[in-house]
Amino acid sequence: MPQNLRFRRNKEDLRDRSSSYGWYHILPVICIASFFFYLQARYLHLAAFPFTDEGVYAEAGRLMLEGLAPHKDFPLWHLPLLPLYSGIVLKLTGNMYWVRLLFLALNCFAVVPFYLTCKKLRDNSSAAILAILFYLTFHELMFQDFRFLAIRQMANNFLIVFFYLGVCQKQWKWKPIVQALLFGLSVLLFLPNLLNFSFLALAMSYSEESRVQRSRELKKYFYSVF
């Protein structure tokens, strides 16, 4: 067997083993996310908080599905994406519980890309596990944002995936398009995220080694986000 072919096969074997090893280490994260999802979902039907904006979102979503335009045909103090999500799920299921359940699943399982990003940055599984545990047990998320429809929490999920793509999927050819889509959806939820995404893109660009690479990365983010 030629030497270069043997070297190529050994390199591919190492890559395959590394990939399977990495996916094996995601299983504990999925188990942790599933455990927290189960705990929250088990008592989700008892969650009731009279001062949330869920009713506003649901009614605004219903009006939008009837053809009315927010800010024009009826007043709405928020951007339209979360009300539209609420209206669509309510129309399909007829129950706010299913709207909350799907929202809760998105919140809990967003820790998978969050874990992969932390592990990539520090190459430390234990620290990454600790990071997602801090995230899942943060009191404001546990008692409010995970269980009730919250604009900032859904926008945060888009931010996590944006961060994951910028750190872990740098060479993926669809990365700029997906990041631009995530940015647009997040801004349609919460306008101040324009600033959050800008700072995050700047921070990821400055992680590059040389000034030329940083400049090239900044241009990519500028074209994909703006």
Side-chain angles (χ1 to χ4, degrees):
M1 180 184 295
Q3 187 69 24
N4 61 344
L5 182 58
R6 186 185 300 114
F7 175 76
R8 191 182 306 125
R9 286 188 176 178
N10 290 338
K11 194 173 181 180
E12 289 173 356
D13 290 342
L14 285 172
R15 190 186 299 117
D16 291 340
R17 283 201 297 268
S18 175
S19 175
S20 62
Y21 186 69
W23 280 108
Y24 171 78
H25 274 275
I26 295 176
L27 290 178
V29 182
I30 295 174
C31 291
I32 291 170
S34 301
F35 175 69
F36 278 90
F37 173 73
Y38 166 75
L39 289 180
Q40 290 276 13
R42 183 176 180 182
Y43 300 102
L44 190 61
H45 65 287
L46 301 176
F49 195 68
F51 304 110
T52 64
D53 294 333
E54 286 183 335
V56 176
Y57 301 151
E59 180 63 13
R62 184 186 68 80
L63 292 174
M64 290 166 66
L65 291 178
E66 289 182 357
L68 300 179
H71 310 294
K72 178 184 177 183
D73 299 323
F74 62 91
L76 181 65
W77 296 107
H78 302 288
L79 292 169
L81 189 58
L82 186 56
L84 185 59
Y85 157 77
S86 302
I88 291 172
V89 181
L90 273 174
K91 188 174 181 64
L92 293 174
T93 64
N95 194 320
M96 181 64 77
Y97 173 81
W98 295 106
V99 184
R100 286 181 175 177
L101 190 67
L102 181 56
F103 186 72
L104 175 64
L106 292 173
N107 292 334
C108 289
F109 289 97
V111 298
V112 176
F114 182 41
Y115 165 82
L116 292 170
T117 306
C118 294
K119 188 175 182 297
K120 177 75 172 180
L121 289 172
R122 290 295 179 185
D123 195 22
N124 189 324
S125 300
S126 300
I129 290 285
L130 188 61
I132 68 167
L133 287 175
F134 275 126
Y135 180 80
L136 288 169
T137 56
F138 183 61
H139 66 93
E140 193 167 346
L141 300 182
M142 287 182 66
F143 295 110
Q144 293 188 43
D145 287 11
F146 278 178
R147 298 191 292 171
F148 303 101
L149 300 182
I151 287 175
R152 59 190 173 186
Q153 183 53 41
M154 183 171 274
N156 192 43
N157 291 338
F158 292 137
L159 192 69
I160 287 173
V161 180
F162 184 92
F163 193 26
Y164 162 75
L165 292 174
V167 172
C168 301
Q169 301 293 335
K170 288 186 176 182
Q171 305 304 320
W172 187 37
K173 66 176 181 178
W174 300 108
K175 186 195 80 167
I177 297 174
V178 176
Q179 283 190 313
L181 181 62
L182 291 167
F183 167 78
L185 290 173
S186 188
V187 170
L188 282 175
L189 279 168
F190 193 51
L191 192 58
N193 267 341
L194 176 65
L195 189 62
N196 296 338
F197 273 79
S198 301
F199 278 126
L200 183 57
L202 184 65
M204 287 190 292
S205 300
Y206 268 82
S207 66
E208 299 294 334
E209 295 180 0
S210 69
R211 185 178 299 177
V212 174
Q213 289 174 319
R214 291 172 191 167
S215 177
R216 187 184 303 120
E217 200 69 14
L218 271 174
K219 287 179 182 177
K220 286 181 184 177
Y221 281 118
F222 179 82
Y223 289 126
S224 64
V225 170
F226 299 104

